[in-house]
Structure formats: C-alpha cells, structure tokens
Amino acid sequence: GVQSRLYAFIMSLVHNPEQAADVLQATNLVMWQKADQFEPGTNFPAWAFQIARFQVMALRQRQRRDRHIYDDETISAVAEEFEQRSELIEDRLAALSHCMGELNDDGQQLIRRRYRDGLAVQQIAAELGHTANRVAVRLHRLRVALLKCIERKDLQEAPA
C-alpha cells in the first residue's frame, strides 16, 4: 500500500531505518493534520509523496552537516522516479494476480510450489512422480503464458 511505498521512498533518501520511520511518522501526522486540504478524486499517493518529500527536506535542514543527505533537486527527481515505478509495479502485480487466476489449478499449484515456496524443480518432480525435465518444460510454458497475459493486460490498460 501507500505506507510501504512511502517508507521505501523515504529510505531511499535517508538510508537510515530509524530516521525513515521518524520521517514516515511525521508524514502521517502532517497528512492527518491536512486531511481537509486533500481533494477527493485527486491522486492520493502523489499528495502523500509530496508531504514525505517536504518532511525529508525538513530533516535535511536539521542535519546540514550529514553528507549523505541529498539536495532538494535530487529528492524531487528520486520522488518522481519512485512514484512512476511503484505504480508500474502495482499494475504488474495486479496483472500477475489476474493472469494467475486464468491458469488451471495444476498450473497455479506448480507456479506456487516453484516460486512462492522456493522448491527446486527436482523436488516438485519427485512430489508429482514426473521427470524433472517434464516439470521444467511445464514451468517454462506456464511462465510464457503468464508473460503473454501480463503483456496483453498492459496493452489493454495503456493510455491511448
């Protein structure tokens, strides 16, 4: 969600988990104080990132001596890049979730055993009583199907 994206963004700028947690807390406090200024229907993550950006700048002003703190321009550039990437990642995860649903149960199970549970192809083959080669070929076909499905969804949702 927005909280984890905000924390990752702040961490990318301050490189210190404790400070990042403090900045996130300050950001949440400001968002709560300014909640009446947020216009429904506008981009909430962008508004939250803007507040986080100001909180990082405020931290930086309190720590002028620390050479690991970036200037405002760098912070703005990282923020924009981060917003775009995190939206892309969220879109991709949503597409992956949808496309997993299009696989049959056996296919879903195979993908989960390999990638969620981290089992080796040989282990899965032993469980199923198949050859490792057969499992590897099936996994390859499933990955190709998922990739094609995700690309289809990207094309459908791409702005014209």
Side-chain angles (χ1 to χ4, degrees):
V2 173
Q3 286 292 305
S4 56
R5 281 166 53 191
L6 276 174
Y7 180 76
F9 162 60
I10 294 165
M11 254 312 272
S12 73
L13 294 170
V14 301
H15 303 292
N16 176 316
E18 256 173 65
Q19 285 179 342
D22 289 346
V23 171
L24 180 62
Q25 226 170 350
T27 301
N28 284 325
L29 188 62
V30 172
M31 286 194 304
W32 183 72
Q33 288 165 344
K34 295 187 172 192
D36 58 333
Q37 292 174 26
F38 175 70
E39 292 173 37
T42 60
N43 188 335
F44 178 75
W47 181 70
F49 270 81
Q50 186 65 34
I51 291 172
R53 194 182 305 184
F54 286 128
Q55 292 307 309
V56 170
M57 288 173 187
L59 172 72
R60 189 174 64 79
Q61 281 170 341
R62 292 193 300 271
Q63 302 179 319
R64 285 259 179 230
R65 297 168 309 284
D66 189 337
R67 60 191 171 76
H68 294 301
I69 303 292
Y70 301 114
D71 61 21
D72 297 357
E73 218 172 287
T74 306
I75 289 171
S76 295
V78 171
E80 281 165 33
E81 178 70 17
F82 215 90
E83 278 178 50
Q84 288 167 356
R85 281 194 186 178
S86 58
E87 281 171 22
L88 181 71
I89 289 167
E90 274 184 18
D91 291 347
R92 279 287 166 103
L93 285 173
L96 175 60
S97 176
H98 167 85
C99 293
M100 276 289 286
E102 289 191 356
L103 298 179
N104 65 27
D105 290 348
D106 287 349
Q108 288 181 26
Q109 193 61 30
L110 201 54
I111 292 282
R112 285 195 187 101
R113 299 297 284 147
R114 178 72 186 95
Y115 298 104
R116 187 192 64 195
D117 303 339
L119 294 184
V121 170
Q122 289 81 357
Q123 287 175 284
I124 299 169
E127 272 183 16
L128 298 174
H130 297 317
T131 65
N133 187 50
R134 182 173 167 187
V135 171
V137 168
R138 178 97 171 96
L139 277 167
H140 175 73
R141 287 187 184 138
L142 289 167
R143 282 198 310 269
V144 169
L146 282 172
L147 193 59
K148 282 183 178 167
C149 174
I150 289 168
E151 284 168 357
R152 253 196 337 270
K153 288 210 63 70
D154 276 353
L155 284 174
Q156 286 168 3
E157 286 161 23

